[in-house]
Amino acid sequence: MKRVSFMNKCIRLMLYLHNKKIPLLPKLINYFNRIVFSCDIPYTVKIGKGTLFIHSGLGVVIHGNARIGKDCRIYHGVTIGGRGKRGTPVIGDNVFIGANSTIIGDVKVGDNAIIGANSLVIKDVEKNTTVAGNPAKKIKG
């Protein structure tokens, strides 16, 4: 049985309330997460079921227009953000994103991809591929 952290439950509640058009509570939960967990995960982001923020999402920053698939594992210090007018990332299902990685711009990350710690992803990542480095390069798959 998976143990889900309090922060993950807060994010699920925030997204649920936003989808039910309840205006104030999602914002309050977002502020609570910023203060307690030092993360910025807005209520407008689309996050699939089963996605977990490891280490309570400490230091995670996600752009409000980003899309994250199901059953992803996102470690601490990850940034998933925009790049000016170049769009925002779309993360597939079952993706592992290592600590302190940055995914920016109109980037598509395929299903079952692995992004190594401290990687900078500015180009698409194919499904079932492992990338690492700055900028991220394919190392397996």
Side-chain angles (χ1 to χ4, degrees), residues 78-129:
V78 169
T79 299
I80 300 173
R83 195 171 168 202
K85 295 184 180 185
R86 298 183 190 176
T88 53
V90 176
I91 311 296
D93 297 337
N94 198 37
V95 174
F96 174 92
I97 304 175
N100 300 311
S101 295
T102 300
I103 305 168
I104 56 172
D106 187 20
V107 174
K108 311 275 186 284
V109 178
D111 296 345
N112 305 309
I114 298 172
I115 299 172
N118 296 310
S119 296
L120 172 62
V121 179
I122 54 176
K123 293 182 181 175
D124 291 353
V125 177
E126 298 173 12
K127 65 179 182 176
N128 303 313
T129 301

Side-chain angles (χ1 to χ4, degrees), residues 17-65:
L17 293 171
H18 175 70
N19 290 334
K20 293 293 182 183
K21 309 281 190 247
I22 298 172
L24 184 60
L25 289 176
K27 290 180 183 181
L28 292 175
I29 294 170
N30 186 28
Y31 291 135
F32 173 81
N33 283 341
R34 284 185 98 167
I35 293 167
V36 174
F37 299 108
S38 297
C39 67
D40 187 9
I41 303 171
Y43 54 87
T44 56
V45 69
K46 300 287 189 236
I47 301 175
K49 283 192 170 213
T51 292
L52 293 178
F53 294 89
I54 311 302
H55 303 295
S56 297
L58 190 63
V60 171
V61 177
I62 300 178
H63 191 282
N65 295 331

